[in-house]
Amino acid sequence: MSEKKDDEFYKYNHTIGLVTNASYLIQNLALLNTEDYYKADCLAVAHEGHINYIPLVNTLRRCKYVPICGGCDRGKGLIKWMKWVKMNNDTYFICLSTIGIQFFDLELTDVQFEFDFKELNGRLSLPLGACVLEDTLFVGTAMGIIVMFKSTDECVKMINHLQVSNFLYLDGANDCLVTVSREEMKTYRLVDGKLNLISSLKEILLLYSVLKIFNDNLFIGHHTGELSLMSFSNLNIIIKQKLHDGEITAIDYSINKQILLTASEDLLLRAWKLDKTQRKVGGSH
């Protein structure tokens, strides 16, 4: 690996103390990086039923410890997914947890809207994942129901819900959704507010541990250390290759689509160069 000059490395800026210890939860970080607001770059760290809100740029603003619900239920619930999301030119901090979904304002000062999914089937259905398509937030639940939320005139509403086959995870990009169960993966296209099935892949996914969508590519990291690269959304397998000796726990992709990063329980972080023409991944560091 070639040497780099000192000025090419990240430089220390400043230190901010957490309100409490960082959580051990998987995918427990959310980062806001936008110039639409007054230096609103900040970090959120999930800790069971609370969120550490940490300003990173504007050091005059203070860290805070925000519960996902108030009153006698303060601090209850377990956070499963969270992210800053832009819908209809408004930015919300969205939190999925074992008590439902909460839409916070940009700085996590107030809850703008919340929904517990009970009215869909009479009992709480655990949210499994979310994505934004065409200014609409799609949330998948454990009952195989996909719920749609929309922001209009600074007001969030639940606008519709659809029943599909049960799944364990949901994500999406552009105008397509992907759902993953233990033995099947399906993709849907959003057309006039309806989801039309595009493709399905009936294959045991080797207990996938992480899934990422990058434009027209779908990456799946497996417990076996294998990586699957598929075309999104028709689910054609482009590459399937063993990259690690342990479970792949994280995947990222460079903006220029040249370098793939993988992290694993084998304690290695590796950078790979994709060669779709030869259907392989090579050049790890």
Side-chain angles (χ1 to χ4, degrees), residues 228-259:
S228 295
L229 168 59
M230 301 179 180
S231 57
F232 186 71
S233 56
N234 58 20
L235 300 182
N236 290 331
I237 297 177
I238 301 172
I239 298 169
K240 190 172 184 180
Q241 187 174 336
K242 187 173 178 64
L243 302 184
H244 288 273
D245 293 328
E247 174 185 343
I248 295 177
T249 56
I251 300 171
D252 208 349
Y253 201 14
S254 63
I255 295 176
N256 62 9
K257 303 183 182 180
Q258 297 299 313
I259 302 297

Side-chain angles (χ1 to χ4, degrees), residues 6-275:
D6 291 341
D7 59 2
E8 293 182 9
F9 288 104
Y10 288 105
K11 294 183 179 180
Y12 169 78
N13 189 300
H14 64 282
T15 299
I16 296 177
L18 294 175
V19 179
T20 186
N21 293 334
S23 171
Y24 61 86
L25 295 173
I26 297 175
Q27 296 180 346
N28 68 328
L29 299 178
L31 180 66
L32 174 65
N33 186 5
T34 175
E35 296 180 356
D36 294 341
Y37 303 89
Y38 50 96
K39 291 186 177 179
D41 297 61
C42 41
L43 176 71
V45 183
H47 185 84
E48 296 183 347
H50 291 78
I51 304 162
N52 275 300
Y53 171 82
I54 308 163
L56 299 178
V57 176
N58 190 339
T59 55
L60 297 178
R61 293 155 64 201
R62 298 176 64 85
C63 300
K64 52 188 174 183
Y65 195 48
V66 182
I68 58 176
C69 55
C72 60
D73 293 328
R74 182 181 178 89
K76 289 186 178 179
L78 183 66
I79 297 169
K80 297 294 185 179
W81 181 95
M82 61 182 189
K83 191 175 183 179
W84 272 279
V85 169
K86 197 163 188 175
M87 298 168 56
N88 197 28
N89 297 319
D90 293 318
T91 300
Y92 300 93
F93 181 84
I94 297 176
C95 177
L96 301 182
S97 71
T98 52
I99 61 173
I101 182 171
Q102 292 82 34
F103 287 73
F104 290 86
D105 60 13
L106 178 70
E107 298 181 16
L108 281 73
T109 303
D110 296 303
V111 175
Q112 307 293 301
F113 177 80
E114 55 187 338
F115 188 78
D116 64 7
F117 302 105
K118 285 183 179 179
E119 68 179 66
L120 300 178
N121 51 25
R123 60 194 179 94
L124 182 64
S125 183
L126 182 68
L128 299 174
C131 65
V132 174
L133 304 178
E134 299 181 1
D135 277 333
T136 301
L137 179 74
F138 290 76
V139 179
T141 73
M143 302 298 292
I145 297 174
I146 297 176
V147 189
M148 291 175 277
F149 299 90
K150 202 164 186 70
S151 170
T152 56
D153 299 326
E154 299 182 356
C155 178
V156 180
K157 295 179 180 179
M158 193 275 280
I159 59 171
N160 200 359
H161 67 279
L162 304 167
Q163 179 77 51
V164 298
S165 57
N166 288 358
F167 54 88
L168 301 174
Y169 182 76
L170 172 146
D171 204 348
N174 302 321
D175 61 349
C176 295
L177 281 172
V178 58
T179 61
V180 184
S181 66
R182 285 188 175 88
E183 297 183 355
E184 188 174 26
M185 177 181 293
K186 292 183 176 181
T187 53
Y188 301 85
R189 176 165 283 115
L190 179 65
V191 180
D192 297 328
K194 297 180 180 179
L195 292 177
N196 297 330
L197 182 66
I198 303 172
S199 182
S200 62
L201 179 64
K202 293 188 177 181
E203 174 182 314
I204 296 177
L205 297 173
L206 301 177
L207 295 175
Y208 85 95
S209 54
V210 61
L211 181 149
K212 280 257 189 175
I213 299 172
F214 297 98
N215 296 327
D216 56 350
N217 293 321
L218 176 63
F219 291 89
I220 301 176
H222 302 288
H223 283 255
T224 58
E226 289 182 287
L227 176 81
S228 295
L229 168 59
M230 301 179 180
S231 57
F232 186 71
S233 56
N234 58 20
L235 300 182
N236 290 331
I237 297 177
I238 301 172
I239 298 169
K240 190 172 184 180
Q241 187 174 336
K242 187 173 178 64
L243 302 184
H244 288 273
D245 293 328
E247 174 185 343
I248 295 177
T249 56
I251 300 171
D252 208 349
Y253 201 14
S254 63
I255 295 176
N256 62 9
K257 303 183 182 180
Q258 297 299 313
I259 302 297
L260 173 72
L261 292 176
T262 58
S264 169
E265 285 189 345
D266 62 10
L267 305 182
L268 291 175
L269 173 67
R270 286 176 164 170
W272 307 88
K273 196 166 185 179
L274 296 175
D275 188 346

